[in-house]
Amino acid sequence: MPDTPTAPVVGVLALQGDVREHVRALEQAGARAIAVRRPEELEAVDGLVIPGGESTTLWRLAVSFDMLEPMRKMLSAGLPAFGSCAGMIMLADRLRDGVAGQQTFGGIDMTVRRNAFGRQVDSFESDIRLTGVPGPPLRAVFIRAPWVEQAGPGVEILGTDSRADRIVAVRQGSLLATSFHPELTPDTRIHELFIDIVKGNT
Ligand code: GLN
């Protein structure tokens, strides 16, 4: 989709992880995408993507870049956000199997288990259907992925994986999270869904 004057500005948290892939997917899906590293840059965005990568590193860098509290504030003030994989971990109110002291931004009333799928299925791909994403099933790429172990009543479960029947995609208001990496496939439907959320269309 071409860039238009009405395209929302979506930031990609650029502390660590697959930032470039999200920027590309967001632009293809019709947003203006910018990398965000500093608290003041958060003011300029209509929504924010927290990429996949490594949540322990994201947490440590968020602390050293003074982003932890500003992120928490912006999220609780209603900034729409989408987290994939490590980004899902960062959006969880509760974390299992984190390293000692590991903190998240929080925002979604869920318990997420880090590296949940275990060693034998460290990485895999599968086709899944998601509520709110019309068309054929999505090819989902899981890399040392978390799953959602428990979700509060305000959390909408968008999809489960066929292998372990675990929750791998959720939405709570304008917060969206997936265990897998839509930024690593050419399919931009999840980014389109997020842009619709940012625009207030859904
Ligand atoms: N296992 C990673 C973590 O704990 C997440 C992996 C990923 O984002 N691909 O953050």
Side-chain angles (χ1 to χ4, degrees):
M1 230 193 262
D3 193 25
T4 67
T6 58
V9 179
V10 178
V12 180
L13 186 66
L15 300 174
Q16 189 261 345
D18 48 1
V19 175
R20 253 181 308 170
E21 291 81 354
H22 272 294
V23 167
R24 176 198 52 80
L26 285 165
E27 285 181 342
Q28 270 174 17
R32 277 186 50 217
I34 59 167
V36 167
R37 275 183 205 88
R38 281 195 284 271
E40 57 274 21
E41 291 168 335
L42 285 172
E43 307 291 334
V45 300
D46 302 312
L48 187 75
V49 168
I50 307 170
E54 173 50 52
S55 61
T56 56
T57 309
L58 280 172
W59 155 59
R60 290 196 175 97
L61 289 174
V63 171
S64 39
F65 280 65
D66 283 327
M67 281 293 266
L68 197 64
E69 285 312 319
M71 278 295 308
R72 286 178 172 167
K73 251 187 225 145
M74 292 297 284
L75 291 168
S76 56
L79 179 71
F82 164 43
S84 64
C85 201
M88 169 189 259
I89 295 173
M90 295 306 293
L91 286 175
D93 281 350
R94 296 169 298 280
L95 174 61
R96 294 244 167 94
D97 290 345
V99 300
Q102 182 173 353
Q103 288 178 283
T104 67
F105 301 134
I108 301 183
D109 177 15
M110 62 178 173
T111 305
V112 163
R113 186 177 291 278
R114 224 179 123 236
N115 300 335
F117 285 93
R119 256 168 207 279
Q120 284 183 346
V121 285
D122 247 2
S123 300
F124 61 97
E125 294 186 17
S126 81
D127 290 328
I128 58 174
R129 286 191 183 280
L130 292 192
T131 305
V133 179
L138 272 147
R139 189 80 185 152
V141 179
F142 294 84
I143 304 169
R144 291 174 60 75
W147 66 42
V148 179
E149 204 140 287
Q150 179 271 336
V155 179
E156 188 188 355
I157 292 160
L158 302 184
T160 54
D161 82 296
S162 56
R163 192 180 285 250
D165 199 25
R166 293 293 184 157
I167 303 166
V168 294
V170 292
R171 175 175 175 183
Q172 180 184 311
S174 56
L175 301 177
L176 179 69
T178 61
S179 299
F180 54 90
H181 293 268
E183 71 280 13
L184 298 184
T185 67
D187 189 333
T188 54
R189 284 178 291 167
I190 302 246
H191 289 83
E192 284 163 29
L193 170 64
F194 181 55
I195 291 166
D196 276 341
I197 291 173
V198 170
K199 287 176 168 171
N201 290 346
T202 170

